[in-house]
């Protein structure tokens, strides 16, 4: 469903992403992990075209997309969240969700700001995520975790084929984190393809079908969670201390 080929992003002499290649299979949950500065979020930015790659290619469902603008990539079926919520704080939750609706071209100028179909669809997504109770709350009144769920709802409004989640559980309390995990798993069971960046290793190992490990801008290991846990390069670069502590 998603293929990254020799992706590069350089800032002067700094190679934030340095020839990274990996695939995300249709219907899978794939995790992209690595230590701070490994290039994970930069890779996300290049895939979604919020940053311009210095080299390499990105293919979505057999079509090259790294030369497209971000809104065109979204229209092709790839949407993402960000580490820090980018909600419009002076708008309600349902308005923040509806603003992510598919563009209807010139004819959209003559449509209501929020059509009945869009309202119904947004409420259905909020119900799926268990947050209909905050549908009419202003964005600035939400907790950090609620903002994360609103971002996920807004992402789903565009009917994506692949979703990129950048630390969806970061900074969220444990009970709400489990709700987010359950919703991601439920989306995947409905056929959604997921690529996720997350520092919570317990969450990643429980949730993912495949793990891609980056270090210093490069992919150093790819495999199932069990394979990655035992890989010598991964243990040395990132997971060693964490796993030793867990096993102890």
């Amino acid at each position: 469903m998603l293929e990254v080929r020799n992706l590069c992003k350089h800032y002067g002499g700094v190679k934030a992403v340095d020839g990274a290649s990996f695939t995300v299979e249709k219907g899978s949950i794939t995790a992209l992990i690595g230590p701070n500065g490994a290039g994970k979020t930069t890779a996300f930015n290049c895939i979604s075209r919020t940053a311009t790659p210095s080299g390499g290619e990105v293919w979505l469902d057999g079509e090259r997309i790294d030369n497209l603008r971000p809104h065109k990539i979204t229209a092709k079926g790839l949407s993402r969240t960000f580490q820090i919520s980018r909600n419009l704080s002076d708008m309600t939750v349902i308005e923040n969700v509806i603003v992510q609706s598919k563009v209807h071209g010139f004819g959209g100028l003559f449509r209501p700001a929020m059509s009945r179909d869009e309202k119904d669809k947004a409420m259905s997504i909020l119900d799926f995520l268990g947050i209909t109770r905050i549908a009419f709350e202003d964005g600035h009144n939400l907790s950090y975790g609620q903002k994360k769920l609103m971002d996920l709802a807004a992402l789903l409004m565009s009917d994506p084929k692949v979703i990129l989640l950048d630390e969806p559980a970061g900074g969220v309390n444990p009970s709400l984190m489990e709700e987010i995990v359950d919703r991601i798993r439920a989306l995947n069971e409905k056929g959604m393809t997921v690529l996720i960046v997350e520092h919570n290793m317990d969450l990643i190992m429980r949730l993912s079908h495949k793990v891609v490990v980056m270090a210093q801008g490069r992919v150093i290991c790819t495999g199932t969670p069990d394979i990655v846990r035992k890989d010598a390069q991964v243990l040395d670069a990132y997971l060693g201390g964490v796993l030793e502590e867990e096993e102890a």
Side-chain angles (χ1 to χ4, degrees):
M1 179 62 77
L2 181 68
E3 184 177 3
V4 176
R5 302 178 183 173
N6 198 33
L7 187 66
C8 298
K9 179 59 178 177
H10 302 163
Y11 297 96
V14 177
K15 297 180 179 180
V17 180
D18 188 18
S21 297
F22 60 89
T23 59
V24 178
E25 286 69 30
K26 184 176 182 179
S28 72
I29 300 176
T30 299
L32 185 61
I33 69 170
N36 289 333
K40 307 179 298 296
T41 293
T42 303
F44 257 37
N45 292 342
C46 291
I47 293 168
S48 61
R49 207 49 166 75
T50 52
T52 303
S54 303
E57 300 176 1
V58 180
W59 292 74
L60 174 66
D61 205 13
E63 182 177 357
R64 188 173 176 181
I65 62 170
D66 56 273
N67 54 352
L68 301 179
R69 298 184 69 181
H71 70 282
K72 294 289 187 181
I73 291 175
T74 299
K76 294 291 184 182
L78 185 147
S79 295
R80 67 163 297 180
T81 62
F82 293 84
Q83 289 182 21
I84 300 174
S85 177
R86 296 192 174 191
N87 69 86
L88 303 169
S89 60
D90 58 341
M91 294 172 63
T92 65
V93 170
I94 193 169
E95 288 170 340
N96 269 282
V97 173
I98 289 175
V99 80
Q100 297 277 6
S101 297
K102 284 188 173 181
V103 177
H104 298 279
F106 184 74
L109 294 174
F110 303 98
R111 292 166 56 91
M114 294 193 296
S115 69
R116 171 49 57 189
D117 288 346
E118 288 174 330
K119 289 178 183 178
D120 290 345
K121 181 178 179 180
M123 288 302 293
S124 176
I125 293 171
L126 294 176
D127 181 57
F128 169 74
L129 295 175
I131 53 173
T132 52
R133 65 188 182 280
I134 62 170
F136 299 100
E137 284 283 348
D138 288 339
H140 60 76
N141 290 333
L142 304 183
S143 69
Y144 190 76
Q146 289 172 332
K147 289 179 180 178
K148 292 277 189 178
L149 284 168
M150 181 181 67
D151 289 346
L152 181 55
L155 174 150
L156 296 175
M157 196 69 183
S158 63
D159 296 323
K161 295 184 287 187
V162 181
I163 56 175
L164 278 57
L165 307 178
D166 198 351
E167 296 193 29
V172 175
N173 70 66
S175 61
L176 189 53
M177 182 186 74
E178 288 304 319
E179 288 185 33
I180 293 173
V181 169
D182 287 344
R183 294 303 88 198
I184 294 172
R185 188 176 285 118
L187 283 170
N188 178 247
E189 289 171 356
K190 292 175 179 285
M192 184 70 71
T193 302
V194 182
L195 177 62
I196 181 172
V197 165
E198 180 57 57
H199 285 292
N200 187 314
M201 288 299 101
D202 175 64
L203 182 157
I204 288 299
M205 296 303 173
R206 287 189 290 122
L207 186 62
S208 305
H209 302 120
K210 184 173 82 172
V211 180
V212 178
V213 187
M214 291 185 68
Q216 297 180 335
R218 300 179 179 180
V219 173
I220 62 169
C221 180
T222 300
T224 64
D226 285 341
I227 289 174
V228 167
R229 288 173 69 97
K230 299 172 184 176
D231 186 90
Q233 287 188 86
V234 176
L235 294 172
D236 182 58
Y238 186 36
L239 295 179
V242 176
L243 293 179
E244 287 171 6
E245 182 178 339
E246 286 179 355
E247 289 168 0

